[in-house]
Amino acid sequence: THETARGNCDEGWTPACLVDAMGQRFDLYPCGHPQAVVPADTVYARARGDDGFQLPWKGKVWLNPPYSSTYSWVNRLLLEADDGNVTGFVTLTFARTGSSWAQRQMERSNVRGLVLSKRVRCIPGDGQSASSPGADSMVCAWGECADVVERLRAAGHGVAR
């Protein structure tokens, strides 16, 4: 996860064990890393000079946002889904269930949620060792990607609703 609560890791990538258990290919990873293991047709990466927040979003989206700006990224995702550009999404964020961005995700019709059983360590893009997570994490999935939550739960990664 991208976290700033402990260990500055606003640019990192998702652990392979979660990616493998998801069993999902995405059309877009808007805040990715060149070495990311998430299977996506398009990966926007700040390390390559991409501004994934400003570039077009469409289809099935994987969002593991920079935690210094989670609200902005999740809000953009939901707006794109409302406009019909995003047809499904999976987000990996801190489990900040009292935050407005988390509640907006969970209010969506047919959204699935999973609280991960273990804290997800940030794998920084600079090759440093993973930082200690500042909080528990959750996954939300919707639309064409909603079944990801059940696959993660079945693989023992957490508790779903």
Side-chain angles (χ1 to χ4, degrees), residues 92-150:
L92 173 62
T93 62
F94 278 144
R96 304 269 194 236
T97 57
S99 67
S100 61
W101 55 263
Q103 291 180 11
R104 280 199 64 217
Q105 282 187 100
M106 297 305 290
E107 289 174 348
R108 289 195 81 76
S109 175
N110 301 318
V111 75
R112 299 289 318 265
L114 177 99
V115 176
L116 294 171
S117 55
K118 294 182 181 177
R119 289 188 172 186
V120 178
R121 289 185 173 269
C122 173
I123 301 173
D126 61 7
Q128 302 276 329
S129 61
S131 62
S132 179
D136 295 328
S137 295
M138 69 180 186
V139 170
C140 287
W142 170 83
E144 294 179 358
C145 300
D147 56 345
V148 163
V149 165
E150 179 54 30

Side-chain angles (χ1 to χ4, degrees), residues 30-87:
C31 46
H33 189 276
Q35 298 172 345
V37 296
V38 174
D41 296 336
T42 302
V43 177
Y44 298 147
R46 185 172 61 182
R48 288 193 305 252
D50 299 335
D51 184 352
F53 191 82
Q54 299 298 324
L55 292 168
W57 292 22
K58 65 179 172 120
K60 295 177 289 218
V61 175
W62 165 253
L63 185 66
N64 181 359
Y67 281 2
S68 64
S69 54
T70 300
Y71 173 85
S72 297
W73 287 88
V74 170
N75 190 52
R76 166 85 192 269
L77 176 69
L78 298 175
L79 290 171
E80 293 291 341
D82 289 345
D83 288 347
N85 298 323
V86 168
T87 57

